[in-house]
Amino acid sequence: MELNEAGAAAVRQGLRMVFCEGVPAGEACKKALRKNKKATAEERREIASAILQIPMMQRRLVHLAGLEERHGFPPKYPEDEIAKVLKTYYDNRKENQGRRPELPLDVDYSIPEWLHRYLQKQVIPDTKSLEKYYSLLNTPTDTSLRVNPHKNVCQEDILKSLKNDGVPAYLDKMVSLVSPYGPCLRITRTNEKANIRGSTMWQAGVVEVQDVGSQLLAAAATPYPSQGKKRDVEGDIKIKGTILDYCCGLGGKTLMLASALGNEYSVTAADISREAMRELPNRLKQTGLEDKVVLKTHPLPDTCLYDLVFVDAPCSALGRLRRRTDNRFRYTPEDIESYPSVQLDILTKASRHVLPGGVLAYATCTMTPQENGEVTSAFERSPEGLAFSPDPIANGSWSDKTLDFVLGTQKETANAATLYPHLHGTDGFYVCRWRKKKENT
């Protein structure tokens, strides 16, 4: 549809916030809509679409508008150039989603030049695969929901309740890949009215937003949950071991571990930042898991030892580019270079809390070799790393179908795996696991 002057002004206002002030596109969209309350529902959808899509497509639109590209973030495009970009967006509306072969690949898909060169050389060297990946970055992706088995609500009732709340979801075909942790549901991204946090199922702690790849990371590190709860002779649930979520952050994987394994394992969540963990107690209470998790902050005493230490390390998060599409313009080469030394330090410290015979798992939400394989190789050469041996991913709780899908012929031996959006339908992730040698070996 064609916007009236008020609607067009709202779009220009949102784009000014993004291009001149560096405000994330999603936040700029919300602010622009709040100042244009008289817009109809259709107009609001059009305003939101333009503010979210134009920053994502900026290199292509700037090129088609005949403007000189401005580098850096924010790019500081002046008012008249923002107007030209907006006009170009609408003039090319029918062609905006298709490939324009006359444009270089990075310009057409609006990937920063340095990032394109890096991805092509270091991550996805095959041009056809790279183009498929870029296409996914520019396509709205569905939202994954993890079902909390601790709540014991059947899949059919969950889907029915979500539909009644205006959040129609469907069973993901990848459910077999994460079967140890219950079904995975998805909400179609194009359903703009869906408000998962306002749904009965979310407020009751029955479902959590979590990418399938993120679920697979935890599943690769952890044992397969027992079908029944094992009890000792007094009737109490028998605890089989201890788990430490070393960099729990907001606690998404903590909730997953506790909901699936909390009846069999004692789960501890720790982080260096109390602020990052601020909402975790409320989330644990909402999901009915407050008595399943112990919260701690670093540094932990050397005497705190666990059967499994899971390190979801801070990283560049390049694997999640399709979630916030304007983030690609915020990154610099220094962002990638700054993480490996920090990650190695965290992994080394975490390794000191693994019991002999226990498992250490390292994970990131990126696909860069510097943050993944190079960090794990450096750890294995370190004095602390020499106390560990590679432990196959197959010893986690991935199904045979998952192992075939991700690892192929290496499924029996590989102790590391990388998930790619264009190959596996998830965000980009990496996981590696080791087992600590017993003291008498």
Side-chain angles (χ1 to χ4, degrees), residues 49-50 111 187-188 215 309 351 372 378 389 399 410 416 418 425 434:
S49 178
I111 307 298
I187 307 168
T188 304
Q215 298 179 45
V309 175
S351 71
N372 296 335
S389 298
S399 67
Q410 296 182 316
T418 304
W434 304 268

Side-chain angles (χ1 to χ4, degrees), residues 56-71:
M56 177 183 71
M57 302 169 58
Q58 62 180 273
R59 290 199 71 199
R60 175 198 262 207
L61 294 174
V62 165
H63 182 91
L64 293 176
L67 300 172
E68 182 179 348
E69 187 175 355
R70 294 171 181 263
H71 300 284

Side-chain angles (χ1 to χ4, degrees), residues 72 90 98 103 137 150 234 239 254 316 339 390 392 396:
Y90 281 111
L103 297 179
L137 293 187
H150 184 70
E234 286 81 21
I239 297 298
T254 298
S316 63
Y339 280 102

Side-chain angles (χ1 to χ4, degrees), residues 228-240 263-264 292:
K229 301 173 183 177
K230 296 187 176 182
R231 300 177 181 271
D232 59 23
V233 290
E234 286 81 21
D236 295 326
I237 293 175
K238 187 177 180 180
I239 297 298
K240 294 161 60 176
N263 286 329
E264 304 171 63
K292 305 289 185 185

Side-chain angles (χ1 to χ4, degrees), residues 19-253:
F19 289 142
C20 299
E21 302 170 25
V23 176
E27 185 179 336
C29 178
K30 292 177 183 178
K31 290 182 177 181
L33 289 174
R34 279 199 293 266
K35 293 186 178 181
N36 200 42
K37 295 181 179 179
K38 293 183 179 181
T40 65
E42 187 178 8
E43 288 170 339
R44 291 174 68 84
R45 284 195 294 272
E46 181 61 31
I47 291 169
S49 178
I51 295 174
L52 292 173
Q53 287 191 37
I54 290 174
M56 177 183 71
M57 302 169 58
Q58 62 180 273
R59 290 199 71 199
R60 175 198 262 207
L61 294 174
V62 165
H63 182 91
L64 293 176
L67 300 172
E68 182 179 348
E69 187 175 355
R70 294 171 181 263
H71 300 284
F73 189 86
K76 305 275 189 185
Y77 286 107
E79 186 80 26
D80 62 322
E81 293 187 3
I82 290 176
K84 284 184 180 180
V85 167
L86 181 58
K87 182 177 185 302
T88 302
Y89 170 76
Y90 281 111
D91 288 347
N92 294 271
R93 194 66 182 269
K94 291 183 179 180
E95 297 83 15
N96 280 342
Q97 301 304 319
R99 173 79 168 97
R100 300 185 76 123
E102 73 274 16
L103 297 179
L105 192 65
D106 56 324
V107 173
D108 198 21
Y109 286 102
S110 290
I111 307 298
E113 186 178 0
W114 77 267
L115 183 56
H116 170 67
R117 290 197 306 267
Y118 174 80
L119 291 170
Q120 192 172 45
K121 183 178 180 181
Q122 300 279 349
V123 182
I124 310 174
D126 179 72
T127 302
K128 288 186 178 180
S129 297
L130 188 62
E131 183 172 349
K132 185 178 180 181
Y133 171 61
Y134 286 169
S135 180
L136 286 172
L137 293 187
N138 290 356
T139 304
T141 183
D142 293 354
T143 298
S144 297
L145 299 179
R146 177 181 55 77
V147 175
N148 177 5
H150 184 70
K151 289 291 186 175
N152 199 28
V153 181
C154 74
Q155 173 186 306
E156 290 74 17
D157 289 345
I158 295 171
L159 290 170
K160 183 178 179 180
S161 178
L162 289 171
K163 183 178 180 180
N164 290 340
D165 288 340
V167 189
Y170 63 93
L171 181 66
D172 196 298
K173 291 181 180 179
M174 293 184 71
V175 61
S176 60
L177 304 184
V178 288
S179 57
Y181 295 92
C184 177
L185 310 177
R186 293 231 188 183
I187 307 168
T188 304
R189 176 71 179 270
T190 53
N191 185 0
E192 299 175 10
K193 295 182 180 180
N195 176 17
I196 180 60
R197 291 179 180 270
S199 69
T200 303
M201 290 291 100
W202 190 88
Q203 292 180 355
V206 177
V207 295
E208 282 279 331
V209 175
Q210 189 174 24
D211 185 74
V212 175
S214 178
Q215 298 179 45
L216 286 173
L217 287 193
T222 55
Y224 198 98
S226 299
Q227 295 301 314
K229 301 173 183 177
K230 296 187 176 182
R231 300 177 181 271
D232 59 23
V233 290
E234 286 81 21
D236 295 326
I237 293 175
K238 187 177 180 180
I239 297 298
K240 294 161 60 176
T242 53
I243 297 175
L244 170 63
D245 187 357
Y246 191 82
C247 302
C248 70
L250 298 175
K253 293 183 183 66

Side-chain angles (χ1 to χ4, degrees), residues 167-409:
V167 189
Y170 63 93
L171 181 66
D172 196 298
K173 291 181 180 179
M174 293 184 71
V175 61
S176 60
L177 304 184
V178 288
S179 57
Y181 295 92
C184 177
L185 310 177
R186 293 231 188 183
I187 307 168
T188 304
R189 176 71 179 270
T190 53
N191 185 0
E192 299 175 10
K193 295 182 180 180
N195 176 17
I196 180 60
R197 291 179 180 270
S199 69
T200 303
M201 290 291 100
W202 190 88
Q203 292 180 355
V206 177
V207 295
E208 282 279 331
V209 175
Q210 189 174 24
D211 185 74
V212 175
S214 178
Q215 298 179 45
L216 286 173
L217 287 193
T222 55
Y224 198 98
S226 299
Q227 295 301 314
K229 301 173 183 177
K230 296 187 176 182
R231 300 177 181 271
D232 59 23
V233 290
E234 286 81 21
D236 295 326
I237 293 175
K238 187 177 180 180
I239 297 298
K240 294 161 60 176
T242 53
I243 297 175
L244 170 63
D245 187 357
Y246 191 82
C247 302
C248 70
L250 298 175
K253 293 183 183 66
T254 298
L255 294 173
M256 178 179 173
L257 295 170
S259 65
L261 299 166
N263 286 329
E264 304 171 63
Y265 289 82
S266 172
V267 180
T268 297
D271 201 278
I272 196 171
S273 170
R274 288 182 179 272
E275 179 62 23
M277 301 170 64
R278 181 166 51 91
E279 292 299 320
L280 187 50
N282 292 333
R283 296 180 73 191
L284 288 168
K285 185 176 181 180
Q286 180 180 350
T287 51
L289 299 168
E290 65 269 33
D291 62 339
K292 305 289 185 185
V293 178
V294 176
L295 301 180
K296 295 186 177 183
T297 52
H298 293 304
L300 299 179
D302 292 340
T303 52
C304 291
L305 300 176
Y306 301 84
D307 295 291
L308 166 65
V309 175
F310 182 73
V311 183
D312 187 8
C315 67
S316 63
L318 279 176
R320 297 181 57 80
L321 279 180
R322 63 180 184 161
R323 296 295 168 184
R324 286 182 59 180
T325 50
D326 58 327
N327 268 6
R328 68 187 75 173
F329 297 102
R330 298 171 180 269
Y331 285 108
T332 67
E334 291 71 31
D335 289 325
I336 296 174
E337 295 167 1
S338 66
Y339 280 102
S341 60
V342 175
Q343 292 160 335
L344 179 58
D345 181 62
I346 291 173
L347 180 58
T348 301
K349 290 176 179 176
S351 71
R352 298 167 187 158
H353 296 284
V354 182
L355 283 164
V359 171
L360 173 66
Y362 171 80
T364 68
C365 56
T366 189
M367 305 170 294
T368 67
Q370 291 91 334
E371 299 176 82
N372 296 335
E374 292 181 18
V375 169
T376 57
S377 294
F379 169 71
E380 290 171 353
R381 295 191 301 267
S382 70
E384 289 83 359
L386 293 175
F388 290 81
S389 298
D391 194 55
I393 297 291
N395 287 343
S397 54
W398 279 10
S399 67
D400 288 338
K401 189 175 290 188
T402 310
L403 293 166
D404 285 331
F405 183 48
V406 179
L407 297 174
T409 58

